[in-house]
Amino acid sequence: MLIKQVSLETVCGITSKLPETQLPEVAFAGKSNVGKSSLINALMNRKSLARTSSQPGKTQTINFYNINDTLYFVDLPGYGYARANEAVKAQWGKMVERYLHRSKQLKQVFLLVDIRHAPSENDRIMYDWIMDSGYRPVIIATKLDKIKRSQVQSQLKQICSTLGMSADGAIIPFSAETKQGRDEIYGLLDAVLEENI
């Protein structure tokens, strides 16, 4: 996949109506500080179109990025942010649930987890939620450059077993620093586009 043109087209807050787009959508979910914005920027070949921050919980909206006028990247709010109050967290949850249930164009969901740790309770809930919504999430194990090569397989195994993934479930180790894993993700995006020709 060659990304030539990118624009942040729509930003939906808690009370916003979700756009009815005509292009296929792929969504990115993950807890705050898992490297979601870094992944999206790496895929788009942009340094900071998706806002990265050392302060977790920056994405509090659903952001629709138009890619080449052929596809939307949909950046979902990060979950599990400790400093957001419970009412705000509940509203974020409802917003994500509404999107997963109502989008007519959503073709693939990528769920990001930190390769260094076992998935959290929130990660497990999100995984089940995506599955219950009728999607088979592709797991992106971020921050690959932060562990030794010898640890990769055992960490991936831990992620798969903690989430209760089936043997044919897809998991891609990824590093925003080295871009390792990006080509595999591009391959999946190409497959989404080919299905919608």
Side-chain angles (χ1 to χ4, degrees):
M1 175 171 226
L2 185 61
I3 295 181
K4 295 178 181 173
Q5 187 189 330
V6 176
S7 63
L8 175 56
E9 197 166 282
T10 310
V11 176
C12 293
I14 286 161
T15 57
S16 306
K17 186 175 182 292
L18 290 165
E20 292 193 14
T21 69
Q22 303 309 308
L23 300 175
E25 298 167 9
V26 295
F28 297 86
K31 68 182 178 191
S32 302
N33 215 19
V34 74
K36 195 154 48 69
S37 298
S38 297
L39 167 71
I40 292 170
N41 284 327
L43 292 175
M44 296 190 299
N45 284 317
R46 300 294 189 277
K47 280 208 159 50
S48 57
L49 190 56
R51 287 185 310 171
T52 57
S53 174
S54 55
Q55 181 192 359
K58 207 71 176 160
T59 306
Q60 299 178 11
T61 51
I62 299 180
N63 299 332
F64 288 75
Y65 295 93
N66 183 323
I67 309 296
N68 294 343
D69 283 328
T70 58
L71 177 77
Y72 282 101
F73 284 178
V74 182
D75 185 8
L76 300 174
Y79 53 82
Y81 177 44
R83 283 171 62 186
N85 69 44
E86 291 306 317
V88 168
K89 283 189 209 171
Q91 285 177 314
W92 289 354
K94 284 199 183 92
M95 185 163 62
V96 171
E97 188 174 29
R98 188 163 51 111
Y99 171 71
L100 289 176
H101 285 159
R102 292 194 188 169
S103 172
K104 294 184 177 73
Q105 295 294 339
L106 180 58
K107 307 300 179 188
Q108 181 65 66
V109 183
F110 293 100
L111 176 61
L112 281 65
V113 296
D114 188 328
I115 197 167
R116 297 172 298 178
H117 313 293
S120 66
E121 180 65 20
N122 282 328
D123 291 325
R124 290 199 296 275
I125 290 167
M126 187 50 132
Y127 179 80
D128 291 342
W129 213 10
I130 295 166
M131 293 286 282
D132 291 345
S133 298
Y135 300 97
R136 285 175 64 87
V138 172
I139 307 304
I140 310 268
T142 62
K143 308 189 189 246
L144 176 62
D145 51 285
K146 307 276 193 227
I147 63 170
K148 293 180 181 141
R149 193 173 290 181
S150 59
Q151 298 173 290
V152 173
Q153 287 312 313
S154 63
Q155 292 302 108
L156 294 178
K157 211 167 171 183
Q158 182 185 47
I159 290 167
C160 292
S161 64
T162 305
L163 292 176
M165 289 172 67
S166 61
D168 62 347
I171 184 165
I172 299 173
F174 175 80
S175 164
E177 292 292 317
T178 67
K179 309 296 185 284
Q180 188 175 333
R182 184 166 67 172
D183 287 346
E184 287 94 320
I185 300 167
Y186 281 158
L188 294 173
L189 297 174
D190 284 334
V192 166
L193 290 172
E194 279 164 25
E195 279 171 25
N196 287 275
I197 288 171

